[in-house]
Amino acid sequence: MYRLLIATNESEVLNQLNASVDWASLDFRQPTVVSTADEAIQNMETQRVDCIAYMLNGSEARRLSNYLNTVRPSLPIFEIRRSLEAQMRILNDMRRVLDRLHEDNTDEYYDEKTIMSMLRDELTHNLLAGEITSEKELRGRLQMLRSHLSLARPCMLYEFDLPQGEIYLNYEWHYGSERLEKALRNNFFGRYYEDLYYQVAVLTPRHIRLIVCQRDDRENEPEDSLAERADQHVSQVLEQIREYLDLDMVQTDRAILPSMIALTGA
């Protein structure tokens, strides 16, 4: 069973949570509960902790957040919600993340950092595919996966058409759209290039989407500069794809979004 740590001084929230949630049925032990950042840090230093949630005042929250960002950057964080329905949804998502982190991959070894990166790729694919439809869900899942994608800053969205996409995937590529997406992400656009995140999704054999996002721990870049740098990198990558994969990706649309939240329809 997975071990949860909850740091909060709002006892009434925890009382309601413990009265409503059957932790064992979710494959969780009864949570360890502390009331300060120092107690939480001490617990993480001395005990196994699989994930954490915290609701603390400003200074305590900042101290714990700083520790998590510098010492435990891959430890999943989940939200505490007052609604039982919302809390159960979050806990089920958390269990699926932990299952992926701790599954036995006998054919290939992946460390925790790599698996978290793969889960973030899946999250942004789902976002680009229109499968995440609320700001709360997006915020919660980004926090859970310790992502630095900014939800408060402008980002770029590109749409591409593959005129020969079905023929290419069936007769030249042979590996399917999922492998093509990984190749575009890992070998061409790159997840992270010059302080910007590039996330690509192959939605259909004809339709590819790309989002270019800023980090939340860097200075906010003006829209003009963001667009110029992203356009330049995208143009270079399209040439490389044409040269190395013999694949034409035709840009059909380009937009500056106020933030990633716009993709949820919120």
Side-chain angles (χ1 to χ4, degrees):
M1 288 188 173
Y2 297 120
R3 298 175 184 266
L4 294 78
L5 175 62
I6 298 178
T8 183
N9 46 25
E10 296 191 26
S11 58
E12 69 281 1
V13 174
L14 288 180
N15 292 338
Q16 181 181 1
L17 192 61
N18 283 324
S20 305
V21 176
D22 180 359
W23 297 101
S25 70
L26 297 171
D27 205 21
F28 291 122
R29 293 180 182 271
Q30 191 77 14
T32 298
V33 181
V34 297
S35 58
T36 69
D38 284 338
E39 289 175 336
I41 292 169
Q42 175 68 16
N43 189 275
M44 285 184 281
E45 295 284 352
T46 58
Q47 305 289 330
R48 175 187 138 198
V49 174
D50 295 309
C51 58
I52 185 173
Y54 61 95
M55 293 177 67
L56 298 167
N57 63 33
S59 60
E60 290 284 306
R62 284 192 294 273
R63 174 165 168 70
L64 182 53
S65 176
N66 182 64
Y67 172 86
L68 291 168
N69 288 334
T70 56
V71 181
R72 301 294 300 273
S74 295
L75 182 68
I77 299 174
F78 68 96
E79 295 178 296
I80 298 175
R81 292 283 184 85
R82 300 180 189 276
S83 160
L84 176 60
E85 181 181 357
Q87 190 66 69
M88 292 299 293
R89 186 166 57 250
I90 287 169
L91 290 171
N92 278 305
D93 285 344
M94 184 77 268
R95 190 190 67 242
R96 284 191 286 270
V97 168
L98 292 173
D99 286 345
R100 288 287 297 278
L101 284 172
H102 296 282
E103 68 184 353
D104 181 15
N105 291 304
T106 55
D107 294 334
E108 195 167 1
Y109 171 75
Y110 295 111
D111 61 20
E112 188 177 67
K113 184 178 179 180
T114 300
I115 295 172
M116 289 291 275
S117 183
M118 293 165 62
L119 289 170
R120 295 183 195 114
D121 292 340
E122 291 177 12
L123 170 59
T124 50
H125 175 98
N126 293 342
L127 178 65
L128 289 168
E131 297 170 4
I132 298 177
T133 57
S134 76
E135 178 181 343
K136 276 189 176 181
E137 180 185 1
L138 179 58
R139 286 186 182 278
R141 292 182 65 182
L142 286 173
Q143 181 187 48
M144 189 177 293
L145 298 177
R146 307 301 301 277
S147 172
H148 282 289
L149 293 175
S150 173
L151 288 179
R153 298 175 182 178
C155 58
M156 301 290 298
L157 179 67
Y158 296 84
E159 308 274 359
F160 301 100
D161 176 45
L162 275 64
Q164 301 297 320
E166 293 183 1
I167 295 174
Y168 183 84
L169 289 175
N170 290 330
Y171 297 101
E172 296 185 45
W173 179 249
H174 301 297
Y175 304 116
S177 58
E178 184 177 346
R179 288 281 296 275
L180 177 60
E181 179 175 309
K182 289 180 180 178
L184 294 176
R185 178 190 303 119
N186 298 335
N187 302 328
F188 293 95
F189 289 105
R191 283 189 182 89
Y192 191 53
Y193 180 79
E194 293 186 347
D195 276 352
L196 296 175
Y197 282 107
Y198 289 78
Q199 292 290 338
V200 63
V202 179
L203 303 179
T204 72
R206 290 288 304 266
H207 186 197
I208 293 178
R209 269 185 155 184
L210 171 74
I211 191 168
V212 184
C213 305
Q214 301 186 60
R215 290 177 62 103
D216 61 8
D217 58 351
R218 299 288 189 271
E219 290 187 8
N220 192 355
E221 183 165 4
E223 289 184 5
D224 289 347
S225 173
L226 171 67
E228 181 179 358
R229 293 206 295 133
D231 285 346
Q232 183 176 16
H233 183 54
V234 168
S235 178
Q236 292 172 347
V237 169
L238 293 183
E239 288 296 326
Q240 294 169 3
I241 292 170
R242 185 177 296 110
E243 178 179 356
Y244 291 104
L245 295 184
D246 194 26
L247 176 64
D248 284 318
M249 284 177 55
V250 180
Q251 182 176 314
T252 59
D253 200 7
R254 164 193 175 279
I256 301 176
L257 304 181
S259 76
M260 290 175 62
I261 296 170
L263 288 172
T264 68

